[in-house]
Amino acid sequence: MDLKESLNLTDVVEKTGLSASTAHRIIRGLERRDYLSRNEDTKRYSLGARIAYLGSLAENRSNDGLREKAYEYLVKIRDQINESASTTANFDYFI
């Protein structure tokens, strides 16, 4: 998901291959925890405040090896969802 991209439920279902009911249940859980935010006018979801917070934590801890620890998992997720992934906060390069 692009940082500025927003998706509706149908988009999420198409991108993930999940059933609509499963995708909706997961989305609602992420929304309750502020990982996703829903625009009530457009009914589209975008990244929530908690993601920004986690990003700032990761950026502040960038020298503790977090990226190296997460790299293996990032590659697996990238391969499963067939999307690009970045190990840098400023998207200097993609894996």
Side-chain angles (χ1 to χ4, degrees):
M1 179 179 219
D2 183 292
L3 293 176
K4 295 181 181 178
E5 183 180 11
S6 63
L7 303 172
N8 62 27
L9 179 61
T10 302
D11 297 331
V12 173
V13 168
E14 289 174 0
K15 286 181 176 276
T16 63
L18 297 170
S19 69
S21 61
T22 299
H24 185 260
R25 187 176 66 249
I26 292 169
I27 287 170
R28 296 296 299 192
L30 293 171
E31 186 181 12
R32 278 192 305 274
R33 291 166 182 86
D34 290 330
Y35 290 105
L36 290 179
S37 177
R38 182 176 187 224
N39 180 313
E40 291 301 322
D41 295 332
T42 65
K43 309 298 187 216
R44 297 179 74 81
Y45 297 92
S46 58
L47 298 178
R50 180 79 49 115
I51 295 295
Y53 172 72
L54 291 174
S56 70
L57 287 177
E59 186 173 46
N60 290 336
R61 298 181 62 181
S62 63
N63 294 327
D64 72 355
L66 179 62
R67 287 188 184 126
E68 290 76 18
K69 294 173 191 170
Y71 182 81
E72 177 184 340
Y73 297 99
L74 184 62
V75 169
K76 287 179 183 179
I77 292 169
R78 178 209 57 196
D79 292 346
Q80 287 178 353
I81 64 173
N82 296 319
E83 292 284 344
S84 60
S86 173
T87 61
T88 62
N90 60 5
F91 303 103
D92 287 336
Y93 63 95
F94 293 92
I95 59 171

